Short mmCIF file of all heavy atoms in Angstrom, two decimals:
data_model
loop_
_atom_site.label_atom_id
_atom_site.label_comp_id
_atom_site.label_asym_id
_atom_site.label_seq_id
_atom_site.Cartn_x
_atom_site.Cartn_y
_atom_site.Cartn_z
N ILE A 1592 139.27 186.10 164.58
CA ILE A 1592 139.71 185.15 163.58
C ILE A 1592 139.81 185.82 162.21
O ILE A 1592 140.81 185.64 161.46
CB ILE A 1592 138.76 183.93 163.51
CG1 ILE A 1592 138.87 183.06 164.76
CG2 ILE A 1592 139.01 183.12 162.26
CD1 ILE A 1592 140.22 182.36 164.89
N LEU A 1614 145.86 177.83 157.74
CA LEU A 1614 144.63 178.40 158.28
C LEU A 1614 144.15 177.65 159.53
O LEU A 1614 143.86 178.27 160.56
CB LEU A 1614 143.54 178.33 157.22
CG LEU A 1614 143.58 179.34 156.06
CD1 LEU A 1614 142.39 179.12 155.13
CD2 LEU A 1614 143.58 180.77 156.59
N ILE A 1615 144.12 176.34 159.44
CA ILE A 1615 143.65 175.52 160.56
C ILE A 1615 144.56 175.72 161.77
O ILE A 1615 144.08 175.89 162.91
CB ILE A 1615 143.60 174.01 160.19
CG1 ILE A 1615 142.53 173.80 159.08
CG2 ILE A 1615 143.27 173.14 161.41
CD1 ILE A 1615 142.51 172.41 158.51
N GLN A 1616 145.87 175.69 161.55
CA GLN A 1616 146.79 175.86 162.66
C GLN A 1616 146.64 177.22 163.36
O GLN A 1616 146.71 177.34 164.58
CB GLN A 1616 148.25 175.71 162.17
CG GLN A 1616 149.28 175.65 163.30
CD GLN A 1616 149.05 174.46 164.21
OE1 GLN A 1616 149.13 173.32 163.79
NE2 GLN A 1616 148.75 174.71 165.48
N ASN A 1617 146.38 178.28 162.56
CA ASN A 1617 146.17 179.62 163.15
C ASN A 1617 144.92 179.66 163.97
O ASN A 1617 144.91 180.31 165.01
CB ASN A 1617 146.16 180.65 162.04
CG ASN A 1617 147.55 181.19 161.71
OD1 ASN A 1617 148.05 182.06 162.42
ND2 ASN A 1617 148.14 180.68 160.66
N VAL A 1618 143.85 179.01 163.54
CA VAL A 1618 142.64 179.00 164.30
C VAL A 1618 142.85 178.25 165.62
O VAL A 1618 142.41 178.68 166.69
CB VAL A 1618 141.48 178.34 163.49
CG1 VAL A 1618 140.21 178.17 164.38
CG2 VAL A 1618 141.13 179.16 162.27
N ILE A 1619 143.54 177.12 165.53
CA ILE A 1619 143.83 176.35 166.74
C ILE A 1619 144.70 177.15 167.73
O ILE A 1619 144.41 177.17 168.93
CB ILE A 1619 144.55 175.02 166.36
CG1 ILE A 1619 143.59 174.10 165.62
CG2 ILE A 1619 145.09 174.31 167.63
CD1 ILE A 1619 144.25 172.83 165.10
N ASP A 1620 145.69 177.82 167.22
CA ASP A 1620 146.57 178.60 168.09
C ASP A 1620 145.79 179.72 168.75
O ASP A 1620 146.02 180.04 169.94
CB ASP A 1620 147.74 179.22 167.26
CG ASP A 1620 148.72 178.15 166.79
OD1 ASP A 1620 148.70 177.04 167.32
OD2 ASP A 1620 149.47 178.42 165.85
N TYR A 1621 144.88 180.35 168.00
CA TYR A 1621 144.11 181.45 168.59
C TYR A 1621 143.22 180.92 169.72
O TYR A 1621 143.14 181.51 170.80
CB TYR A 1621 143.23 182.12 167.52
CG TYR A 1621 142.23 183.07 168.11
CD1 TYR A 1621 142.61 184.38 168.45
CD2 TYR A 1621 140.92 182.68 168.35
CE1 TYR A 1621 141.69 185.22 169.03
CE2 TYR A 1621 140.01 183.56 168.95
CZ TYR A 1621 140.40 184.83 169.27
OH TYR A 1621 139.51 185.69 169.83
N ILE A 1622 142.57 179.78 169.47
CA ILE A 1622 141.64 179.22 170.49
C ILE A 1622 142.43 178.81 171.74
O ILE A 1622 142.02 179.07 172.89
CB ILE A 1622 140.89 178.02 169.93
CG1 ILE A 1622 139.90 178.51 168.84
CG2 ILE A 1622 140.16 177.26 171.02
CD1 ILE A 1622 139.15 177.42 168.14
N LYS A 1623 143.60 178.18 171.53
CA LYS A 1623 144.40 177.75 172.67
C LYS A 1623 144.85 178.95 173.53
O LYS A 1623 144.89 178.87 174.78
CB LYS A 1623 145.64 177.01 172.20
CG LYS A 1623 145.36 175.56 171.74
CD LYS A 1623 146.67 174.89 171.36
CE LYS A 1623 146.46 173.40 171.03
NZ LYS A 1623 147.73 172.74 170.67
N TYR A 1624 145.13 180.04 172.85
CA TYR A 1624 145.64 181.22 173.58
C TYR A 1624 144.54 181.99 174.27
O TYR A 1624 144.72 182.54 175.37
CB TYR A 1624 146.39 182.11 172.60
CG TYR A 1624 146.97 183.35 173.21
CD1 TYR A 1624 148.15 183.29 173.97
CD2 TYR A 1624 146.35 184.60 173.09
CE1 TYR A 1624 148.69 184.43 174.56
CE2 TYR A 1624 146.87 185.72 173.69
CZ TYR A 1624 148.06 185.66 174.43
OH TYR A 1624 148.59 186.77 175.01
N TYR A 1631 142.18 171.51 177.99
CA TYR A 1631 141.96 170.58 176.90
C TYR A 1631 143.18 170.54 175.97
O TYR A 1631 144.07 171.43 176.09
CB TYR A 1631 140.71 170.96 176.09
CG TYR A 1631 140.77 172.38 175.54
CD1 TYR A 1631 141.42 172.66 174.33
CD2 TYR A 1631 140.19 173.41 176.26
CE1 TYR A 1631 141.45 173.97 173.86
CE2 TYR A 1631 140.24 174.72 175.78
CZ TYR A 1631 140.90 174.98 174.59
OH TYR A 1631 140.95 176.26 174.13
N ILE A 1633 144.30 170.02 171.85
CA ILE A 1633 143.88 169.88 170.45
C ILE A 1633 145.03 169.29 169.63
O ILE A 1633 146.10 169.87 169.58
CB ILE A 1633 143.47 171.26 169.85
CG1 ILE A 1633 142.30 171.87 170.62
CG2 ILE A 1633 143.04 171.07 168.37
CD1 ILE A 1633 141.88 173.25 170.12
N LYS A 1634 144.81 168.14 169.08
CA LYS A 1634 145.81 167.48 168.24
C LYS A 1634 145.47 167.71 166.77
O LYS A 1634 144.36 167.44 166.33
CB LYS A 1634 145.83 166.00 168.54
CG LYS A 1634 146.40 165.63 169.92
CD LYS A 1634 146.52 164.13 170.07
CE LYS A 1634 147.16 163.77 171.42
NZ LYS A 1634 147.28 162.30 171.62
N PHE A 1635 146.46 168.19 166.06
CA PHE A 1635 146.27 168.49 164.60
C PHE A 1635 147.16 167.55 163.81
O PHE A 1635 148.36 167.56 163.91
CB PHE A 1635 146.60 169.97 164.34
CG PHE A 1635 146.38 170.37 162.90
CD1 PHE A 1635 145.43 169.74 162.12
CD2 PHE A 1635 147.12 171.38 162.33
CE1 PHE A 1635 145.22 170.11 160.78
CE2 PHE A 1635 146.93 171.77 161.01
CZ PHE A 1635 145.99 171.14 160.25
N ILE A 1663 135.86 176.41 160.78
CA ILE A 1663 136.67 175.58 161.69
C ILE A 1663 136.59 176.10 163.12
O ILE A 1663 136.47 175.32 164.08
CB ILE A 1663 138.14 175.55 161.20
CG1 ILE A 1663 138.25 174.93 159.80
CG2 ILE A 1663 139.02 174.80 162.19
CD1 ILE A 1663 137.70 173.53 159.71
N LEU A 1667 135.20 173.92 166.38
CA LEU A 1667 136.09 173.73 167.56
C LEU A 1667 135.44 174.33 168.81
O LEU A 1667 135.56 173.73 169.88
CB LEU A 1667 137.45 174.38 167.29
CG LEU A 1667 138.36 173.64 166.29
CD1 LEU A 1667 139.60 174.47 166.02
CD2 LEU A 1667 138.74 172.26 166.85
N VAL A 1684 141.91 166.94 165.27
CA VAL A 1684 141.65 167.56 163.99
C VAL A 1684 142.54 166.92 162.90
O VAL A 1684 143.75 166.73 163.16
CB VAL A 1684 141.95 169.09 164.04
CG1 VAL A 1684 141.63 169.75 162.70
CG2 VAL A 1684 141.15 169.77 165.18
#
Side-chain angles (χ1 to χ4, degrees):
I1592 289 293
L1614 284 180
I1615 295 174
Q1616 189 62 63
N1617 270 280
V1618 174
I1619 292 174
D1620 291 343
Y1621 171 81
I1622 291 176
K1623 283 184 175 181
Y1624 181 78
Y1631 56 85
I1633 301 179
K1634 291 185 177 181
F1635 182 28
I1663 298 301
L1667 287 174
V1684 182

